[in-house]
Coordinates of all heavy atoms in Angstrom, one line a residue:
M1 N -39.6 -21.8 -26.1 CA -38.4 -21.0 -26.3 C -38.3 -19.9 -25.3 O -37.3 -19.6 -24.8 CB -38.5 -20.5 -27.7 CG -37.3 -19.6 -28.1 SD -35.9 -20.7 -28.3 CE -34.8 -19.6 -29.1
A2 N -39.5 -19.3 -25.0 CA -39.5 -18.2 -24.0 C -39.1 -18.7 -22.6 O -38.5 -18.0 -21.8 CB -40.8 -17.5 -24.0
D3 N -39.5 -20.0 -22.3 CA -39.2 -20.5 -21.0 C -37.7 -20.7 -20.9 O -37.2 -20.5 -19.8 CB -40.0 -21.9 -20.9 CG -39.9 -22.4 -19.5 OD1 -39.7 -21.6 -18.5 OD2 -39.9 -23.6 -19.3
R4 N -37.1 -21.2 -21.9 CA -35.6 -21.4 -21.9 C -34.9 -20.0 -21.7 O -33.9 -19.9 -20.9 CB -35.1 -22.0 -23.1 CG -35.5 -23.5 -23.3 CD -34.8 -24.0 -24.5 NE -35.3 -25.4 -24.7 CZ -35.0 -26.1 -25.8 NH1 -34.2 -25.6 -26.7 NH2 -35.4 -27.3 -25.9
H5 N -35.4 -19.0 -22.4 CA -34.8 -17.7 -22.3 C -34.9 -17.1 -20.8 O -33.9 -16.6 -20.3 CB -35.4 -16.7 -23.2 CG -34.8 -15.4 -23.3 ND1 -33.5 -15.2 -23.8 CD2 -35.2 -14.2 -22.9 CE1 -33.2 -13.9 -23.7 NE2 -34.2 -13.3 -23.2
G6 N -36.1 -17.3 -20.2 CA -36.3 -16.9 -18.9 C -35.4 -17.6 -17.9 O -34.9 -17.1 -16.9
L7 N -35.2 -18.9 -18.1 CA -34.4 -19.8 -17.2 C -32.9 -19.3 -17.3 O -32.2 -19.2 -16.3 CB -34.6 -21.2 -17.6 CG -33.8 -22.2 -16.7 CD1 -34.3 -22.1 -15.3 CD2 -34.0 -23.6 -17.2
F8 N -32.5 -19.0 -18.6 CA -31.2 -18.6 -18.8 C -30.9 -17.3 -18.1 O -29.9 -17.1 -17.4 CB -30.9 -18.4 -20.3 CG -29.5 -17.9 -20.6 CD1 -28.4 -18.7 -20.5 CD2 -29.4 -16.6 -21.1 CE1 -27.1 -18.2 -20.7 CE2 -28.1 -16.1 -21.3 CZ -27.0 -16.9 -21.2
L9 N -31.8 -16.3 -18.2 CA -31.7 -15.0 -17.5 C -31.6 -15.2 -16.0 O -30.8 -14.5 -15.3 CB -32.8 -14.1 -17.9 CG -32.7 -13.5 -19.3 CD1 -33.9 -12.6 -19.6 CD2 -31.4 -12.7 -19.4
Q10 N -32.4 -16.1 -15.4 CA -32.4 -16.4 -14.0 C -31.1 -16.9 -13.6 O -30.5 -16.5 -12.5 CB -33.5 -17.3 -13.6 CG -34.9 -16.7 -13.7 CD -36.0 -17.8 -13.3 OE1 -35.7 -19.0 -13.3 NE2 -37.2 -17.3 -13.2
R11 N -30.5 -17.8 -14.3 CA -29.2 -18.3 -14.0 C -28.1 -17.3 -14.1 O -27.2 -17.2 -13.2 CB -28.8 -19.5 -14.9 CG -29.6 -20.7 -14.6 CD -29.2 -21.9 -15.5 NE -30.0 -23.1 -15.2 CZ -29.9 -24.2 -15.9 NH1 -29.0 -24.3 -16.9 NH2 -30.6 -25.2 -15.5
V12 N -28.2 -16.4 -15.1 CA -27.2 -15.3 -15.2 C -27.3 -14.4 -14.1 O -26.3 -14.0 -13.5 CB -27.4 -14.6 -16.6 CG1 -26.5 -13.3 -16.6 CG2 -27.0 -15.5 -17.7
V13 N -28.5 -14.0 -13.7 CA -28.7 -13.1 -12.5 C -28.2 -13.8 -11.2 O -27.5 -13.1 -10.4 CB -30.2 -12.7 -12.4 CG1 -30.4 -12.0 -11.1 CG2 -30.6 -11.8 -13.6
A14 N -28.4 -15.0 -11.0 CA -27.9 -15.7 -9.9 C -26.4 -15.8 -9.8 O -25.8 -15.6 -8.8 CB -28.5 -17.1 -9.8
L15 N -25.8 -16.0 -11.0 CA -24.3 -16.0 -11.1 C -23.8 -14.6 -10.7 O -22.8 -14.5 -10.0 CB -23.9 -16.5 -12.4 CG -22.4 -16.5 -12.7 CD1 -21.7 -17.6 -11.8 CD2 -22.1 -16.8 -14.1
L16 N -24.4 -13.6 -11.3 CA -23.9 -12.3 -11.0 C -24.0 -11.9 -9.5 O -23.1 -11.2 -9.0 CB -24.6 -11.2 -11.9 CG -24.2 -11.3 -13.4 CD1 -25.1 -10.3 -14.2 CD2 -22.8 -11.0 -13.6
K17 N -25.1 -12.3 -8.9 CA -25.3 -12.0 -7.5 C -24.2 -12.7 -6.6 O -23.8 -12.1 -5.6 CB -26.7 -12.5 -7.0 CG -27.8 -11.5 -7.5 CD -29.1 -12.0 -6.9 CE -30.2 -11.0 -7.4 NZ -31.5 -11.4 -6.8
R18 N -23.8 -13.9 -7.0 CA -22.7 -14.5 -6.3 C -21.4 -13.9 -6.5 O -20.5 -14.0 -5.6 CB -22.7 -16.0 -6.7 CG -23.8 -16.8 -6.1 CD -23.5 -18.3 -6.3 NE -23.5 -18.5 -7.8 CZ -23.5 -19.7 -8.3 NH1 -23.4 -20.8 -7.6 NH2 -23.4 -19.8 -9.6
C19 N -21.1 -13.3 -7.6 CA -19.8 -12.7 -8.0 C -19.6 -11.3 -7.4 O -18.5 -10.9 -7.3 CB -19.6 -12.7 -9.5 SG -19.5 -14.4 -10.2
V20 N -20.7 -10.6 -7.1 CA -20.6 -9.2 -6.7 C -20.3 -9.3 -5.2 O -20.9 -10.0 -4.4 CB -21.9 -8.5 -6.9 CG1 -22.0 -7.1 -6.3 CG2 -22.2 -8.4 -8.4
P21 N -19.4 -8.4 -4.7 CA -19.1 -8.4 -3.3 C -20.3 -7.8 -2.5 O -21.1 -7.1 -3.1 CB -17.9 -7.5 -3.2 CG -17.8 -6.7 -4.4 CD -18.5 -7.5 -5.5
P22 N -20.3 -8.0 -1.2 CA -21.4 -7.5 -0.4 C -21.4 -6.0 -0.5 O -20.4 -5.3 -0.6 CB -21.1 -7.9 1.0 CG -20.0 -9.0 0.9 CD -19.4 -8.8 -0.4
P23 N -22.6 -5.4 -0.3 CA -22.7 -3.9 -0.4 C -21.9 -3.2 0.6 O -21.4 -2.1 0.3 CB -24.2 -3.7 -0.2 CG -24.9 -4.9 -0.5 CD -23.9 -6.0 -0.2
A24 N -21.8 -3.7 1.8 CA -21.0 -3.1 2.8 C -19.5 -3.0 2.4 O -18.9 -1.9 2.6 CB -21.2 -3.8 4.2
L25 N -19.0 -4.0 1.9 CA -17.6 -4.0 1.4 C -17.4 -3.0 0.3 O -16.4 -2.3 0.3 CB -17.2 -5.4 1.0 CG -15.7 -5.5 0.5 CD1 -14.7 -5.2 1.5 CD2 -15.5 -6.9 0.0
T26 N -18.3 -3.0 -0.6 CA -18.3 -2.1 -1.8 C -18.3 -0.7 -1.3 O -17.5 0.2 -1.7 CB -19.4 -2.4 -2.8 OG1 -19.4 -3.7 -3.2 CG2 -19.3 -1.5 -4.0
G27 N -19.2 -0.4 -0.3 CA -19.3 1.0 0.2 C -18.1 1.4 0.9 O -17.6 2.5 0.8
F28 N -17.5 0.5 1.7 CA -16.3 0.8 2.4 C -15.1 1.1 1.5 O -14.4 2.1 1.7 CB -15.9 -0.4 3.3 CG -14.5 -0.2 4.0 CD1 -14.4 0.7 5.0 CD2 -13.4 -0.9 3.6 CE1 -13.2 0.9 5.7 CE2 -12.2 -0.8 4.2 CZ -12.1 0.1 5.2
L29 N -15.0 0.3 0.4 CA -13.9 0.5 -0.6 C -14.1 1.9 -1.3 O -13.1 2.6 -1.5 CB -13.8 -0.6 -1.6 CG -13.4 -1.9 -1.0 CD1 -13.4 -3.0 -2.0 CD2 -12.0 -1.8 -0.4
V30 N -15.3 2.2 -1.6 CA -15.6 3.5 -2.3 C -15.3 4.6 -1.3 O -14.7 5.6 -1.7 CB -17.1 3.6 -2.7 CG1 -17.5 5.0 -3.1 CG2 -17.3 2.6 -3.9
L31 N -15.7 4.5 0.0 CA -15.4 5.5 1.0 C -13.9 5.7 1.1 O -13.3 6.8 1.2 CB -16.0 5.1 2.3 CG -15.7 6.1 3.4 CD1 -16.4 7.4 3.2 CD2 -16.2 5.5 4.8
L32 N -13.1 4.6 1.1 CA -11.7 4.6 1.3 C -11.0 5.4 0.1 O -10.1 6.2 0.3 CB -11.1 3.2 1.3 CG -9.8 3.0 1.9 CD1 -9.8 3.4 3.4 CD2 -9.4 1.5 1.8
V33 N -11.5 5.1 -1.1 CA -11.0 5.8 -2.3 C -11.3 7.3 -2.2 O -10.4 8.1 -2.6 CB -11.6 5.1 -3.6 CG1 -11.3 6.0 -4.8 CG2 -11.0 3.7 -3.8
V34 N -12.5 7.6 -1.8 CA -12.9 9.0 -1.7 C -12.0 9.7 -0.7 O -11.5 10.8 -0.9 CB -14.4 9.2 -1.4 CG1 -14.7 10.6 -1.0 CG2 -15.2 8.7 -2.6
V35 N -11.8 9.1 0.5 CA -11.0 9.7 1.5 C -9.5 9.9 1.1 O -9.0 11.0 1.3 CB -11.0 8.9 2.8 CG1 -10.0 9.3 3.8 CG2 -12.4 9.0 3.5
F36 N -8.9 8.9 0.4 CA -7.6 9.1 0.0 C -7.5 10.1 -1.2 O -6.5 10.9 -1.3 CB -7.0 7.8 -0.5 CG -6.5 6.9 0.6 CD1 -7.1 5.8 1.0 CD2 -5.3 7.3 1.3 CE1 -6.6 5.0 2.0 CE2 -4.9 6.6 2.4 CZ -5.5 5.4 2.7
G37 N -8.5 10.2 -2.0 CA -8.6 11.2 -3.1 C -8.6 12.6 -2.5 O -7.9 13.5 -3.0
V38 N -9.5 12.8 -1.5 CA -9.6 14.1 -0.9 C -8.3 14.5 -0.2 O -7.8 15.6 -0.2 CB -10.8 14.2 0.1 CG1 -10.7 15.4 1.0 CG2 -12.1 14.1 -0.7
S39 N -7.7 13.5 0.5 CA -6.4 13.7 1.2 C -5.3 14.1 0.2 O -4.5 15.1 0.4 CB -6.0 12.5 1.9 OG -4.7 12.6 2.5
Y40 N -5.3 13.5 -0.9 CA -4.3 13.8 -2.0 C -4.5 15.2 -2.5 O -3.6 16.0 -2.7 CB -4.3 12.8 -3.1 CG -3.3 13.0 -4.2 CD1 -2.0 12.7 -4.0 CD2 -3.7 13.7 -5.4 CE1 -1.1 12.9 -5.0 CE2 -2.8 13.9 -6.4 CZ -1.4 13.6 -6.2 OH -0.5 13.8 -7.1
A41 N -5.8 15.5 -2.8 CA -6.1 16.9 -3.3 C -5.7 18.0 -2.3 O -5.1 19.0 -2.7 CB -7.6 16.9 -3.6
V42 N -6.0 17.8 -1.0 CA -5.7 18.8 0.0 C -4.2 18.9 0.1 O -3.6 20.0 0.2 CB -6.3 18.4 1.3 CG1 -5.7 19.3 2.4 CG2 -7.8 18.6 1.3
G43 N -3.5 17.8 0.1 CA -2.0 17.8 0.2 C -1.4 18.5 -1.0 O -0.4 19.2 -0.9
S44 N -1.9 18.3 -2.2 CA -1.4 19.0 -3.4 C -1.7 20.5 -3.3 O -0.8 21.3 -3.8 CB -2.1 18.4 -4.6 OG -1.7 17.0 -4.8
A45 N -2.8 20.9 -2.8 CA -3.2 22.3 -2.8 C -2.3 23.0 -1.7 O -1.9 24.1 -1.9 CB -4.6 22.4 -2.4
V46 N -2.0 22.4 -0.6 CA -1.3 23.0 0.5 C 0.2 23.1 0.2 O 0.8 24.1 0.5 CB -1.6 22.3 1.8 CG1 -0.7 22.8 2.9 CG2 -3.0 22.4 2.2
G47 N 0.7 22.1 -0.4 CA 2.1 22.0 -0.7 C 2.9 21.3 0.3 O 2.3 20.7 1.2
P48 N 4.2 21.3 0.2 CA 5.1 20.6 1.2 C 5.0 21.1 2.6 O 4.8 22.3 2.8 CB 6.5 20.7 0.6 CG 6.4 21.9 -0.3 CD 5.0 22.0 -0.8
V49 N 5.0 20.2 3.6 CA 4.9 20.6 5.0 C 6.2 21.3 5.4 O 6.2 22.3 6.1 CB 4.6 19.4 5.8 CG1 4.6 19.8 7.3 CG2 3.3 18.8 5.5
A50 N 7.3 20.8 5.0 CA 8.6 21.4 5.3 C 9.4 21.7 4.0 O 10.1 20.9 3.5 CB 9.4 20.4 6.2
P51 N 9.2 22.9 3.5 CA 9.8 23.2 2.2 C 11.3 23.1 2.1 O 11.9 22.8 1.1 CB 9.3 24.6 1.9 CG 8.2 24.9 2.8 CD 8.4 23.9 4.0
G52 N 12.0 23.4 3.3 CA 13.4 23.4 3.3 C 14.0 22.0 3.5 O 15.3 21.8 3.4
M53 N 13.2 21.0 3.7 CA 13.7 19.7 4.0 C 14.1 19.0 2.7 O 13.3 18.9 1.8 CB 12.7 18.9 4.8 CG 13.2 17.5 5.2 SD 11.9 16.5 6.0 CE 11.8 17.3 7.6
H54 N 15.3 18.4 2.7 CA 15.8 17.7 1.5 C 16.2 16.3 2.0 O 16.6 16.1 3.1 CB 16.9 18.4 0.8 CG 16.5 19.7 0.3 ND1 15.7 19.9 -0.7 CD2 16.8 21.0 0.8 CE1 15.5 21.2 -1.0 NE2 16.2 21.9 -0.1
S55 N 16.2 15.4 1.1 CA 16.7 14.0 1.4 C 18.2 14.0 1.6 O 18.9 14.7 1.0 CB 16.4 13.1 0.3 OG 16.9 11.8 0.5
T56 N 18.6 13.2 2.6 CA 20.1 13.1 2.9 C 20.7 12.0 2.1 O 21.9 11.8 2.1 CB 20.4 12.9 4.4 OG1 19.7 11.8 4.8 CG2 19.9 14.1 5.1
D57 N 19.9 11.2 1.4 CA 20.4 10.1 0.7 C 20.9 10.6 -0.7 O 20.2 11.1 -1.5 CB 19.3 9.0 0.4 CG 19.8 7.8 -0.3 OD1 21.0 7.5 -0.2 OD2 19.0 7.1 -0.8
T58 N 22.2 10.4 -0.9 CA 22.9 10.8 -2.1 C 23.1 9.7 -3.0 O 23.8 9.8 -4.0 CB 24.2 11.6 -1.8 OG1 25.0 10.7 -1.1 CG2 23.9 12.8 -1.0
G59 N 22.7 8.5 -2.7 CA 22.9 7.4 -3.5 C 24.0 6.5 -3.0 O 24.6 6.8 -2.0
P60 N 24.4 5.5 -3.8 CA 25.5 4.6 -3.4 C 26.8 5.4 -3.4 O 27.1 6.2 -4.3 CB 25.5 3.5 -4.4 CG 24.7 4.0 -5.6 CD 23.8 5.1 -5.1
R61 N 27.6 5.1 -2.4 CA 28.9 5.7 -2.3 C 30.0 4.7 -2.7 O 29.9 3.5 -2.5 CB 29.2 6.1 -0.8 CG 28.3 7.3 -0.4 CD 28.8 7.8 1.0 NE 28.0 8.9 1.4 CZ 28.1 9.4 2.6 NH1 29.0 9.0 3.4 NH2 27.3 10.5 2.9
D62 N 31.1 5.3 -3.1 CA 32.3 4.5 -3.4 C 33.0 4.3 -2.1 O 33.3 5.2 -1.4 CB 33.2 5.3 -4.4 CG 34.4 4.5 -4.8 OD1 34.4 3.3 -4.6 OD2 35.3 5.1 -5.4
P63 N 33.3 3.0 -1.7 CA 33.9 2.7 -0.5 C 35.3 3.4 -0.3 O 35.8 3.6 0.8 CB 34.1 1.2 -0.4 CG 33.2 0.7 -1.5 CD 32.9 1.8 -2.5
S64 N 36.0 3.7 -1.4 CA 37.3 4.3 -1.3 C 37.2 5.8 -1.0 O 38.2 6.4 -0.7 CB 38.0 4.0 -2.7 OG 37.4 4.7 -3.7
D65 N 36.0 6.4 -1.2 CA 35.9 7.8 -0.8 C 36.0 8.0 0.7 O 35.5 7.2 1.5 CB 34.6 8.3 -1.3 CG 34.5 8.5 -2.8 OD1 35.5 8.4 -3.4 OD2 33.3 8.7 -3.3
S66 N 36.7 9.0 1.0 CA 36.8 9.4 2.5 C 35.7 10.4 2.8 O 35.4 11.2 2.0 CB 38.2 9.9 2.8 OG 38.4 11.1 2.1
T67 N 35.2 10.2 4.0 CA 34.1 11.2 4.4 C 34.7 12.0 5.5 O 34.7 11.6 6.7 CB 32.9 10.4 4.9 OG1 33.3 9.5 5.9 CG2 32.2 9.7 3.8
P68 N 35.3 13.2 5.2 CA 35.9 14.0 6.2 C 34.8 14.5 7.2 O 33.9 15.3 6.8 CB 36.5 15.2 5.4 CG 35.8 15.2 4.1 CD 35.3 13.8 3.9
G69 N 35.0 14.1 8.4 CA 34.1 14.6 9.5 C 32.7 14.1 9.4 O 31.8 14.4 10.2
G70 N 32.4 13.2 8.5 CA 31.1 12.7 8.3 C 30.9 11.3 8.9 O 31.8 10.7 9.4
D71 N 29.7 10.9 9.0 CA 29.3 9.7 9.6 C 29.5 8.6 8.6 O 28.9 8.7 7.5 CB 27.9 9.7 10.2 CG 27.6 8.4 11.0 OD1 28.5 7.7 11.3 OD2 26.4 8.2 11.2
T72 N 30.2 7.6 8.9 CA 30.4 6.5 7.9 C 29.4 5.4 8.1 O 29.3 4.5 7.3 CB 31.8 5.8 8.0 OG1 31.9 5.3 9.3 CG2 32.9 6.9 7.8
G73 N 28.6 5.5 9.1 CA 27.6 4.4 9.4 C 28.1 3.3 10.1 O 27.4 2.3 10.5
D74 N 29.4 3.3 10.5 CA 30.1 2.2 11.2 C 29.7 2.3 12.6 O 29.8 3.3 13.3 CB 31.6 2.3 11.0 CG 32.3 1.1 11.6 OD1 31.6 0.1 11.9 OD2 33.5 1.2 11.9
M75 N 29.3 1.2 13.2 CA 28.8 1.2 14.6 C 30.0 0.9 15.6 O 29.8 0.9 16.8 CB 27.8 0.1 14.9 CG 26.5 0.3 14.1 SD 25.7 1.8 14.7 CE 25.1 1.3 16.3
G76 N 31.2 0.8 15.0 CA 32.4 0.7 15.9 C 32.4 -0.8 16.4 O 31.9 -1.7 15.8
D77 N 33.1 -0.9 17.6 CA 33.2 -2.2 18.2 C 32.0 -2.5 19.0 O 31.7 -2.0 20.1 CB 34.4 -2.2 19.1 CG 34.8 -3.5 19.6 OD1 34.3 -4.5 19.0 OD2 35.5 -3.6 20.6
M78 N 31.1 -3.4 18.5 CA 29.9 -3.7 19.1 C 29.9 -5.1 19.7 O 28.9 -5.8 19.9 CB 28.7 -3.6 18.2 CG 28.5 -2.2 17.7 SD 28.0 -1.0 18.9 CE 26.4 -1.6 19.3
D79 N 31.1 -5.6 20.0 CA 31.2 -6.9 20.7 C 30.5 -6.9 22.0 O 30.5 -5.9 22.7 CB 32.7 -7.3 20.8 CG 33.3 -7.6 19.4 OD1 32.5 -7.9 18.5 OD2 34.5 -7.6 19.4
G80 N 30.0 -8.0 22.4 CA 29.4 -8.1 23.7 C 27.9 -7.7 23.7 O 27.3 -7.7 24.7
M81 N 27.4 -7.4 22.6 CA 26.0 -7.0 22.4 C 25.2 -8.3 22.1 O 24.6 -8.3 21.0 CB 25.8 -5.9 21.4 CG 26.6 -4.7 21.7 SD 25.9 -3.8 23.1 CE 24.3 -3.3 22.6
H82 N 25.1 -9.2 23.0 CA 24.3 -10.4 22.7 C 23.1 -10.5 23.6 O 23.1 -9.8 24.7 CB 25.2 -11.6 22.9 CG 26.4 -11.6 22.0 ND1 26.4 -11.9 20.7 CD2 27.7 -11.4 22.3 CE1 27.6 -11.8 20.2 NE2 28.4 -11.5 21.1
S83 N 22.2 -11.3 23.3 CA 21.0 -11.4 24.1 C 21.1 -12.4 25.2 O 20.1 -12.9 25.8 CB 19.8 -11.8 23.2 OG 20.0 -13.0 22.6
D84 N 22.3 -12.8 25.6 CA 22.5 -13.8 26.7 C 22.5 -13.2 28.1 O 22.7 -13.8 29.0 CB 23.8 -14.6 26.5 CG 25.0 -13.7 26.5 OD1 24.9 -12.5 26.7 OD2 26.2 -14.2 26.5
G85 N 22.2 -11.9 28.1 CA 22.0 -11.2 29.4 C 23.4 -10.9 30.1 O 23.5 -10.6 31.2
G86 N 24.5 -11.0 29.3 CA 25.8 -10.6 29.9 C 26.4 -11.7 30.8 O 27.2 -11.4 31.6
R87 N 25.9 -12.9 30.7 CA 26.4 -14.0 31.6 C 27.7 -14.5 31.1 O 28.0 -14.7 30.0 CB 25.4 -15.1 31.7 CG 24.1 -14.5 32.4 CD 23.1 -15.7 32.5 NE 21.8 -15.1 32.7 CZ 20.7 -15.7 32.8 NH1 20.7 -17.0 32.6 NH2 19.6 -15.1 33.1

Protein backbone atom coordinates (compact mmCIF):
# COMPACT_ATOMS: atom_id res chain seq x y z
CA MET A 1 0.00 0.00 0.00
CA ALA A 2 2.82 2.39 0.87
CA ASP A 3 4.48 1.59 -2.47
CA ARG A 4 1.36 2.59 -4.38
CA HIS A 5 1.08 5.82 -2.40
CA GLY A 6 4.70 6.72 -3.16
CA LEU A 7 4.24 5.95 -6.85
CA PHE A 8 1.11 8.10 -6.95
CA LEU A 9 2.95 11.01 -5.33
CA GLN A 10 5.81 10.69 -7.83
CA ARG A 11 3.36 10.83 -10.74
CA VAL A 12 1.60 13.87 -9.28
CA VAL A 13 4.92 15.68 -8.77
CA ALA A 14 6.01 14.84 -12.32
CA LEU A 15 2.71 16.14 -13.70
CA LEU A 16 3.00 19.37 -11.75
CA LYS A 17 6.56 19.91 -12.94
CA ARG A 18 5.40 19.64 -16.55
CA CYS A 19 2.51 22.09 -16.02
CA VAL A 20 4.52 24.82 -14.29
CA PRO A 21 6.14 27.37 -16.63
CA PRO A 22 9.92 27.74 -16.59
CA PRO A 23 11.31 29.84 -13.72
CA ALA A 24 12.72 32.45 -16.10
CA LEU A 25 9.29 33.07 -17.64
CA THR A 26 7.65 33.24 -14.24
CA GLY A 27 10.28 35.71 -13.03
CA PHE A 28 9.85 37.87 -16.12
CA LEU A 29 6.08 38.00 -15.71
CA VAL A 30 6.38 38.89 -12.03
CA LEU A 31 8.89 41.62 -12.89
CA LEU A 32 6.56 42.95 -15.58
CA VAL A 33 3.64 43.12 -13.13
CA VAL A 34 5.81 44.90 -10.54
CA VAL A 35 7.08 47.46 -13.08
CA PHE A 36 3.57 48.26 -14.31
CA GLY A 37 2.32 48.46 -10.73
CA VAL A 38 5.04 50.92 -9.75
CA SER A 39 4.41 52.93 -12.90
CA TYR A 40 0.70 53.12 -12.12
CA ALA A 41 1.37 54.16 -8.52
CA VAL A 42 3.79 56.91 -9.58
CA GLY A 43 1.37 58.15 -12.23
CA SER A 44 -1.46 58.27 -9.73
CA ALA A 45 0.65 60.15 -7.21
CA VAL A 46 1.95 62.72 -9.70
CA GLY A 47 -1.36 63.41 -11.40
CA PRO A 48 -2.12 64.37 -14.98
CA VAL A 49 0.76 65.53 -17.14
CA ALA A 50 -1.31 68.20 -18.89
CA PRO A 51 -4.11 69.24 -16.53
CA GLY A 52 -5.68 71.69 -19.02
CA MET A 53 -5.88 69.14 -21.83
CA HIS A 54 -9.34 67.87 -22.65
CA SER A 55 -10.60 65.45 -25.24
CA THR A 56 -11.90 67.00 -28.43
CA ASP A 57 -14.17 64.05 -29.12
CA THR A 58 -17.72 65.10 -28.32
CA GLY A 59 -19.33 61.91 -29.53
CA PRO A 60 -21.35 61.19 -32.65
CA ARG A 61 -22.62 64.22 -34.52
CA ASP A 62 -25.86 64.72 -36.33
CA PRO A 63 -25.04 65.08 -40.06
CA SER A 64 -27.68 67.80 -40.39
CA ASP A 65 -25.86 70.01 -37.87
CA SER A 66 -23.75 72.73 -39.39
CA THR A 67 -20.30 73.36 -38.05
CA PRO A 68 -19.69 77.10 -38.38
CA GLY A 69 -16.02 77.63 -39.05
CA GLY A 70 -15.23 74.14 -37.84
CA ASP A 71 -13.52 71.26 -39.54
CA THR A 72 -15.99 68.77 -40.93
CA GLY A 73 -13.34 66.14 -41.54
CA ASP A 74 -14.00 66.22 -45.28
CA MET A 75 -10.81 65.84 -47.31
CA GLY A 76 -12.29 67.71 -50.24
CA ASP A 77 -11.56 66.63 -53.77
CA MET A 78 -8.88 63.95 -53.46
CA ASP A 79 -9.13 62.58 -56.99
CA GLY A 80 -5.86 61.63 -58.59
CA MET A 81 -4.40 60.30 -55.34
CA HIS A 82 -3.63 56.85 -56.64
CA SER A 83 -0.53 54.73 -56.28
CA ASP A 84 -0.02 54.45 -60.03
CA GLY A 85 2.73 57.08 -59.93
CA GLY A 86 0.66 59.68 -61.83
CA ARG A 87 1.02 57.91 -65.16
